[in-house]
Every structure is written in structure tokens, then in C-alpha cells.
Amino acid sequence: MEKSKGPRTEPCGTPTDRGRGEEVVCEWETLNVQSVRCLTAGAQNSVLQDQEKLSKKDMSYVAMTASCVLMEKFPISPMLKIVKSVFYTEWPNESRDKCVPKVIEFLSYDTDVVAYVFLLLLVLSSTTITFLIGIFIFFRNTPVVRANNRNLSFIILVSLKLSLLCIFLFIGKPVDITCMLRHVSFGIIFTVVLSSILAKTIIVCIAFKSTTPGSSWRKWLGVKLPNSIVMILSSLQVLNAIFWLLFSPPFQELDMDSYPGKITIQCNEGSRLAFYVMLGYMGFLAAVSLILAFMVRKLPDIYNEAKHITFSMLVFFSVWICAIPAYLSSKGKHTVSVEVFAILASGNGIMVCIFLPKLWNILAKSEMKKRQLLEK
């Protein structure tokens, strides 16, 4: 753009503004222009209050009587600080002669097809888990269901369904309450899933150690030990969530700088430490389950779930190892999409690896019994 000898006036705002003779001063310089900011009249006062700090050149970008201020953001530190400190929700149009509202962006059913894809996958997953719960209740007295503590199986299935339903907190316009609930609720519920899986694995280890006559491990068999493991391990995540919400809770955040002309409504985690403690603790539980299940995967028992638990934990780690770098490198609604994908993939991975083989055994053995009865 050609350099002019001095500032020139251009109309700014609506035709009504022009009718009142309100103008804005725009000086086109040969400096490198990074972006254009459109400030409202309220922001004008914020700029004018600091006019003593600005040089004479900088002051040429401010119109004293305009209701809308167009200004170029140059790499001049005083001006840059003032422009960035102003809350702005408008942006100049293509001809740069009036202010238009910025586009509001978040993961929504109205504008994002991927939201409906997530919703469809969520419905299918929840329906499948509900079907599994019904099958397990109907065949609750069979050896396949009773093996490895059926109460833990029901806890895992119910917790998996609740963790998947947390996806509804991620889709839609973020507000303070949904920002506080989305990570905290998912973290606590999914920790219950991982704690139950770890309790299952520990029970498998104890069961095989107690097979020898006079083994002292037999006193640990029963419902008290797995229930205690789940409660203790889950309570640690609950404590982290309580401290998180008390001292630095997540909140709604407006990102106005990442995308020109857009305001991204997103959730700020508040305490990054608490957020990574939540993820790290879940990773720790999954790692311990993986190691123990891998150690006892080849023990001779038709009802040994260790092999299935090993595969489910491998799926869990594969999903989150890929998701965390994508989460850190993305912004706005793309970050939310990564989180929702990770929740769906890890939850469905655990369901498929652990419970579909049990479902096959239940239905196959039931069919075999029916055939035997018919043959008799």
C-alpha cells in the first residue's frame, strides 16, 4: 500500500454514524501490517486514557470523535500493549469502512458435522453397553459372569457408560459450569473404570497364588479386597478434583487472537497441574494393570481375563499417546474434538476387548446347552 504524506479521514461505522459526521483517522504507512483491529467506542476511552504514553505517530491512529476506531497493529510496543488489553468483539469488513461482529466459534451441532458423528458413535456405544448389562444380568449366575467378580464387571460397564455420557459436556457452548464438570467428571468416572480393572487383575493374581494347599493368599479372596481397592484408588482422584475445583477451577475463556475475525469460546483448565495429575494418575493405573495382566496372561484357566485386560490397556495407551500431542498442538474446537475422540476410542476399546469375548462365551455356551437338551 502506498505511503501517504499524512493521515486521511475515512467514514467508519453505519450510515447513521456517517450522517452525524463521525469519522476515523486511518494513516497508511509502509510498516509491516500484522492485522487490523476494530475497537468500539468504549474501547476508545481506554486508548485515549493512555494517549500520553503514545508517540505523535501512534496518535494518528486514534480518532477522537469516532464511534468506531480502525487502527493498524504495528510492532510498536506501547500501542501493542493497549490494543491487546482492550476487549474487542468486532472486526473490520473487507472494504475496511465499518465494524462487523466477529464470528463466534465452538464445537456445535449447528455448524459442525463432526458433532453429529460423535453423537451417533455415542448412541451406538451406549446402546451396546446397555445391551451388555442386560445380558450380564440375565446370565448373572453362569460361571462366565461369576468368574473374576461379577460385581466389578457391572461397575466397569456402568462407569463406562457414564464416562461416555460425559461427552455431552464437551459438545455445545462452553460455560463455567460445563467447563468445571467436563474434565472432573470424566476423570473421576474413568478412574473408577481403571481401578476396577486393576482390582480384577489383582484378583486373578491372588487366585492363582492361592491354588497351592495352605497358601496364605486365600484369606485375601472375597469381595472386600476388590471393593476396597476400587474405593481407595478412586478416592485419590476425587481428592485431586476437590483441590482442583477449590483453588483453580476451570472456566470459560474467549480466545480472540488465534484466528483472525473469530472469537473462540473454549474452556481454560485453570490449574494445569491438576489437569495433568488427573491424566497421569489414570495412566499410572492403566500401566499397573497392563504389567500385572501381562504377567498372568498365560495362566491355564478358561475364565482368565488377563489376556483381554492386556489388550484393552494396550488400546488405552495407544489412544492417549496419540491424543495428548494432538491435544497440545490444536486450538479451539479442534482441541475438544480430540478429547471427545479419545474418550470414545478408549471407552469402546475397553468394552470390546474385555466384554465382547465374555458375551461370545455366554451366548455360545448357552446355545451348546440348548442343543444338548434337545439331543436328550
Side-chain angles (χ1 to χ4, degrees):
M1 197 173 293
E2 295 183 0
K3 179 179 179 180
S4 60
K5 294 182 180 180
R8 64 180 183 180
T9 59
E10 291 185 356
C12 177
T14 62
T16 306
D17 295 331
R18 297 192 192 111
R20 292 199 298 265
E22 295 178 339
E23 296 176 329
V24 66
V25 177
C26 299
E27 182 182 11
W28 307 110
E29 295 286 347
T30 56
L31 297 174
N32 293 326
V33 178
Q34 295 178 352
S35 61
V36 180
R37 292 289 184 261
C38 192
L39 306 178
T40 61
Q44 217 182 114
N45 298 329
S46 180
V47 176
L48 295 177
Q49 287 173 3
D50 294 313
Q51 59 182 297
E52 296 179 358
K53 301 178 183 179
L54 304 177
S55 64
K56 187 176 181 180
K57 177 188 287 187
D58 298 328
M59 282 304 300
S60 64
Y61 299 102
V62 181
M64 299 296 184
T65 60
S67 62
C68 169
V69 180
L70 290 177
M71 60 179 63
E72 308 285 353
K73 190 177 79 174
F74 294 106
I76 303 172
S77 56
M79 196 67 213
L80 189 61
K81 288 180 181 177
I82 292 173
V83 171
K84 279 203 168 187
S85 68
V86 175
F87 183 86
Y88 47 87
T89 58
E90 293 182 314
W91 192 255
N93 62 354
E94 293 182 0
S95 58
R96 296 182 180 179
D97 58 359
K98 70 174 183 179
C99 298
V100 294
K102 286 187 175 183
V103 177
I104 306 297
E105 185 180 66
F106 54 89
L107 187 62
S108 170
Y109 296 109
D110 297 331
T111 57
D112 300 295
V113 178
V114 70
Y116 285 100
V117 175
F118 289 147
L119 180 61
L120 176 62
L121 294 175
L122 173 59
V123 171
L124 292 176
S125 303
S126 298
T127 304
T128 304
I129 293 175
T130 303
F131 174 74
L132 285 172
I133 293 173
I135 292 293
F136 275 51
I137 292 174
F138 187 79
F139 293 96
R140 62 186 178 277
N141 294 321
T142 59
V144 178
V145 176
R146 293 177 63 184
N148 237 209
N149 200 313
R150 64 184 172 188
N151 293 334
L152 288 179
S153 297
F154 287 121
I155 291 174
I156 293 173
L157 285 171
V158 173
S159 299
L160 274 177
K161 185 170 182 177
L162 292 176
S163 66
L164 292 176
L165 292 177
C166 290
I167 291 174
F168 284 116
L169 297 173
F170 289 81
I171 303 175
K173 183 179 179 181
V175 294
D176 287 340
I177 186 64
T178 56
C179 289
M180 287 189 287
L181 289 177
R182 58 167 58 171
H183 291 119
V184 170
S185 57
F186 170 74
I188 293 174
I189 296 171
F190 209 79
T191 298
V192 174
V193 175
L194 296 174
S195 301
S196 302
I197 293 174
L198 179 56
K200 269 180 171 285
T201 312
I202 292 174
I203 291 300
V204 172
C205 296
I206 293 175
F208 282 99
K209 286 184 177 292
S210 62
T211 53
T212 57
S215 176
S216 60
W217 289 98
R218 291 193 176 187
K219 63 182 180 181
W220 296 105
L221 294 175
V223 296
K224 290 184 178 180
L225 177 63
N227 292 342
S228 300
I229 291 173
V230 173
M231 291 187 64
I232 293 172
L233 295 180
S234 301
S235 62
L236 296 178
Q237 188 72 283
V238 173
L239 288 176
N240 176 61
I242 292 173
F243 283 111
W244 189 1
L245 293 177
L246 286 178
F247 295 104
S248 184
F251 56 90
Q252 183 198 69
E253 182 182 57
L254 302 181
D255 181 6
M256 304 184 184
D257 298 319
S258 296
Y259 301 101
K262 292 182 179 180
I263 299 176
T264 303
I265 304 178
Q266 60 189 13
C267 287
N268 188 305
E269 292 85 2
S271 173
R272 283 276 181 175
L273 177 61
F275 176 71
Y276 288 119
V277 166
M278 179 196 74
L279 293 179
Y281 184 65
M282 290 194 296
F284 169 74
L285 294 178
V288 176
S289 299
L290 175 62
I291 293 171
L292 293 178
F294 185 80
M295 290 170 59
V296 298
R297 73 191 187 283
K298 292 184 178 180
L299 292 177
D301 192 329
I302 189 173
Y303 301 124
N304 184 10
E305 289 183 306
K307 186 182 295 184
H308 306 313
I309 292 174
T310 302
F311 282 118
S312 67
M313 292 300 97
L314 287 175
V315 171
F316 174 84
F317 277 111
S318 300
V319 169
W320 286 96
I321 287 173
C322 296
I324 290 175
Y327 172 85
L328 295 175
S329 60
S330 57
K331 294 180 179 180
K333 63 181 181 181
H334 303 295
T335 303
V336 180
S337 299
V338 171
E339 292 177 302
V340 173
F341 170 78
I343 293 171
L344 282 170
S346 56
N348 282 286
I350 291 174
M351 177 188 67
V352 170
C353 291
I354 295 180
F355 292 101
L356 287 190
K358 291 173 74 72
L359 177 64
W360 171 257
N361 289 334
I362 291 172
L363 298 179
K365 290 184 181 297
S366 177
E367 186 66 24
M368 288 176 62
K369 286 182 179 180
K370 287 181 180 179
R371 289 181 181 179
Q372 291 174 358
L373 290 174
L374 289 174
E375 290 175 357
K376 292 180 181 180

